[in-house]
Amino acid sequence: MEKREIEAIVREVLARTAESAQIPGTLSGTGEGNGPGRGYQQGQVGMAQTDSGLVQTSMPLALAVKLIERIEAKAAQWGMRVVTAVSDQAGIPVAVHCMDGAYAGSFDVALNKTYTAIAFQMSTAKLGTLSQPGESLYGIQFTNQGRIVIFGGGEVLKYNGVILGALGVSGGSASQDTDLAAYGKSIFEEVITCL
């Protein structure tokens, strides 16, 4: 599938989504190639074929993996060994990659960063600022069975203003994780159009 075909499909789906009661932020395609449409039924908004029938999805595996690959390449340039996680718009993990030599503890942290970004629809760095003593969300990290992360490395992933999922990066300092996740967020729309 060519870039222009994917862009046309995404625009059409987002337009249909805005007009209907469908779940926002879903992608569709023809089921051909390796792009976001892979495994989808023609004309079905955000649907993927399973053994039991069709299911709605907002973050195709191919998209999550391609984004992670780009982030890992940047991490390697920066001398980092990270765990990168991508979740869908409900906070359910789609893909998690652990670079060789990444900290074992970074696995849960990366996943929880995606959950936090989705749960509060903001970056974990921004939530960290709002949760400082005296701020409006002080103590938020003690909610949600301890899954809330209040330091950088988690970002909401949007396409044309619609939330499709979230990204979590862990393995460096809070500043490094923040920068690497911001990089991932900044290239997300480009990755969609390149599939």
Side-chain angles (χ1 to χ4, degrees):
M1 190 176 282
E2 293 183 8
K3 176 181 174 181
R4 62 181 168 71
E5 293 173 309
I6 293 171
E7 289 175 339
I9 290 168
V10 170
R11 278 193 299 275
E12 179 183 327
V13 169
L14 291 173
R16 276 194 230 158
T17 300
E19 295 171 2
S20 68
Q22 297 290 336
I23 295 175
T26 56
L27 302 174
S28 73
T30 64
E32 299 171 359
N34 295 323
R38 186 171 182 216
Y40 288 51
Q41 296 293 318
Q42 177 67 31
Q44 296 291 326
V45 177
M47 301 303 253
Q49 182 65 48
T50 69
D51 292 338
S52 301
L54 295 174
V55 295
Q56 266 190 324
T57 183
S58 66
M59 180 64 67
L61 177 61
L63 175 57
V65 169
K66 189 65 176 173
L67 178 63
I68 289 172
E69 288 171 350
R70 294 277 303 270
I71 291 167
E72 287 175 337
K74 183 61 76 176
Q77 286 178 358
W78 292 353
M80 297 172 66
R81 298 175 310 276
V82 298
V83 176
T84 307
V86 174
S87 294
D88 67 12
Q89 65 185 5
I92 298 169
V94 174
V96 182
H97 284 196
C98 305
M99 293 177 72
D100 293 340
Y103 297 119
S106 291
F107 186 90
D108 284 344
V109 175
L111 279 174
N112 287 338
K113 287 179 180 182
T114 69
Y115 174 81
T116 302
I118 284 295
F120 296 100
Q121 298 178 5
M122 68 178 75
S123 72
T124 57
K126 181 176 180 181
L127 185 63
T129 300
L130 296 173
S131 64
Q132 294 301 307
E135 296 298 323
S136 61
L137 296 178
Y138 178 66
I140 193 79
Q141 70 272 24
F142 302 114
T143 67
N144 293 267
Q145 289 107 22
R147 294 182 67 190
I148 304 304
V149 178
I150 59 167
F151 47 88
E155 292 284 351
V156 175
L157 298 173
K158 297 180 182 180
Y159 185 76
N160 288 339
V162 178
I163 296 173
L164 299 184
L167 165 67
V169 177
S170 180
S173 67
S175 176
Q176 289 173 317
D177 289 353
T178 300
D179 291 346
L180 193 53
Y183 166 76
K185 177 183 176 182
S186 75
I187 64 166
F188 182 63
E189 291 196 16
E190 174 190 332
V191 171
I192 288 175
T193 59
C194 289
L195 283 178

